[in-house]
Amino acid sequence: MKLGRYIARKTMWYLVALVAAVSLNFLLPRLVPGNPVDVIVSNLTRGGSITGEQQKQIYDSFVTEFGLDQPLWQQFLTYLGKVFSGDLGTSFGSYPTSVNTLIGDALPWSIAVQLPAIIIGWLLGNLVGAVAAFRGGNWDRSVFTSSLFLSAMPYYCLSILLLYGLAVVAGVFPVGGAYSLGETPSLSPSFLMDALSYYWLPFLSLVVVFIGGQAVGMRSMAIYELGGDYVNYARAMGIGDNKITQYIFRNAMLPQITGLALSIGTLVGGALITELVFNYPGVGTLLFTAISNNDYPVIQAITLIITVAVLVANFCVEIVYGIVDPRIRAAATGEK
């Protein structure tokens, strides 16, 4: 019953958060100055071959088609209906391409470069941080200093340094892009090998910073747990160091698991600047282009995906915490 109440309370709060997020997701892009239809009309009428009356007709037709002539509340209801039916709308900036198509083309690139970086960085970072905490001494000081430096470095700074040093100066890797000009994306071995040469710099710029952040966090948690009363008590009871290490590592891992879940939840837009630096055709680049063009449907779709992913990740973590640690469950339900 305690677990059921805990899950019910968390579900209710996250549903409220989802409703608020969906509402803000609709309103915030419309607060950006400018009208996306102006951009479309200016692109279509570039060259001056269309008269002012024809421009007005084109403008009115696009306003009507996109529903921008409707009251805001009616636009919101239309937006909700399309979202829950899986229709993310039509792009303003890439009309008449659907938003589903644009995100479907960009999402695999973001997942391919970010998901391996997050998982590998998490595993290596936690391993390095735990070893540093247990060994101490000069090893701990050197690991902590280097990890702190890497974790404090923004992704885009390391991206620029790697791009300049390894691509521009050394010429080891290609300069920007995701594959060579003239290539068509496919699953053929030749294309995959070509794309892999463009893959390493964005991957390295993400995984190195992530290793540093995870190492700092794991080291701090492990040192905190090493000074816990239960560790001293276990040693006094004659429990072996290997068993105590298991207890310490398990307790220190809880915040790290939260970080992993949140990182996976935000991977869609987590490397926006990195993708821009390398001109990588992921969701971050797509979002930046959409913001530049006031492309409401694309902005709404990407931010909605990010929001839902973060909420789902948080919800899953809290449920797992409630199952694993009865203290968290008791505190949330107000029981003793």
Side-chain angles (χ1 to χ4, degrees):
M1 292 300 294
K2 292 181 180 179
L3 179 60
R5 282 196 294 271
Y6 175 80
I7 294 176
R9 285 171 62 90
K10 291 299 178 182
T11 302
M12 180 187 67
W13 280 112
Y14 275 95
L15 286 176
V16 172
L18 178 61
V19 172
V22 170
S23 302
L24 289 173
N25 186 54
F26 170 80
L27 292 173
L28 289 180
R30 285 161 173 76
L31 298 179
V32 178
N35 189 335
V37 179
D38 291 336
V39 178
I40 299 174
V41 174
S42 64
N43 291 334
L44 291 175
T45 59
R46 188 171 296 165
S49 59
I50 299 178
T51 64
E53 183 62 29
Q54 290 174 327
Q55 289 185 13
K56 185 177 184 306
Q57 292 177 357
I58 294 173
Y59 181 90
D60 292 339
S61 65
F62 275 111
V63 167
T64 302
E65 181 173 352
F66 292 137
L68 297 178
D69 57 337
Q70 300 174 353
L72 196 60
W73 64 267
Q74 191 171 349
Q75 294 182 42
F76 180 65
L77 293 179
T78 304
Y79 160 75
L80 288 180
K82 288 185 176 182
V83 165
F84 286 109
S85 65
D87 181 9
L88 298 176
T90 302
S91 170
F92 290 178
S94 303
Y95 181 84
T97 307
S98 68
V99 177
N100 296 56
T101 301
L102 293 175
I103 293 179
D105 293 339
L107 189 58
W109 293 102
S110 292
I111 293 176
V113 73
Q114 291 188 57
L115 187 58
I118 289 172
I119 294 176
I120 294 174
W122 188 81
L123 292 174
L124 292 180
N126 283 305
L127 178 61
V128 170
V131 172
F134 286 122
R135 292 189 60 176
N138 293 330
W139 172 263
D140 177 42
R141 284 190 290 271
S142 61
V143 168
F144 176 69
T145 303
S146 58
S147 298
L148 190 63
F149 173 76
L150 291 175
S151 65
M153 179 180 292
Y155 290 113
Y156 63 87
C157 288
L158 184 58
S159 301
I160 294 173
L161 292 175
L162 290 176
L163 182 64
Y164 179 75
L166 298 180
V168 176
V169 176
V172 179
F173 297 101
V175 181
Y179 49 87
S180 300
L181 292 175
E183 292 282 347
T184 302
S186 65
L187 295 178
S188 64
S190 60
F191 175 79
L192 293 177
M193 291 302 297
D194 178 71
L196 192 61
S197 63
Y198 289 82
Y199 174 85
W200 289 113
L201 284 183
F203 171 77
L204 288 174
S205 67
L206 295 174
V207 73
V208 169
V209 176
F210 203 76
I211 288 174
Q214 293 299 313
V216 170
M218 187 62 193
R219 173 192 173 275
S220 301
M221 290 304 304
I223 290 177
Y224 173 80
E225 294 295 335
L226 279 169
D229 292 337
Y230 73 92
V231 175
N232 297 327
Y233 180 76
R235 285 173 176 164
M237 294 291 292
I239 299 176
D241 288 342
N242 291 336
K243 192 67 174 179
I244 295 174
T245 301
Q246 293 179 13
Y247 292 147
I248 294 172
F249 187 73
R250 186 180 65 182
N251 291 334
M253 282 298 296
L254 287 176
Q256 302 301 97
I257 293 174
T258 303
L260 175 64
L262 294 180
S263 297
I264 294 176
T266 58
L267 69 83
V268 173
L272 188 152
I273 305 299
T274 301
E275 291 183 2
L276 293 178
V277 169
F278 293 105
N279 194 26
Y280 210 73
V283 176
T285 302
L286 179 63
L287 177 60
F288 179 80
T289 304
I291 293 173
S292 302
N293 296 331
N294 284 338
D295 197 341
Y296 295 165
V298 176
I299 298 172
Q300 289 174 175
I302 295 176
T303 53
L304 179 64
I305 292 173
I306 296 173
T307 302
V308 172
V310 172
L311 288 175
V312 170
N314 272 288
F315 178 75
C316 292
V317 167
E318 294 215 46
I319 296 302
V320 171
Y321 272 19
I323 295 173
V324 173
D325 194 338
R327 296 172 299 176
I328 296 176
R329 186 168 66 243
T333 55
E335 297 177 357
K336 299 180 180 180

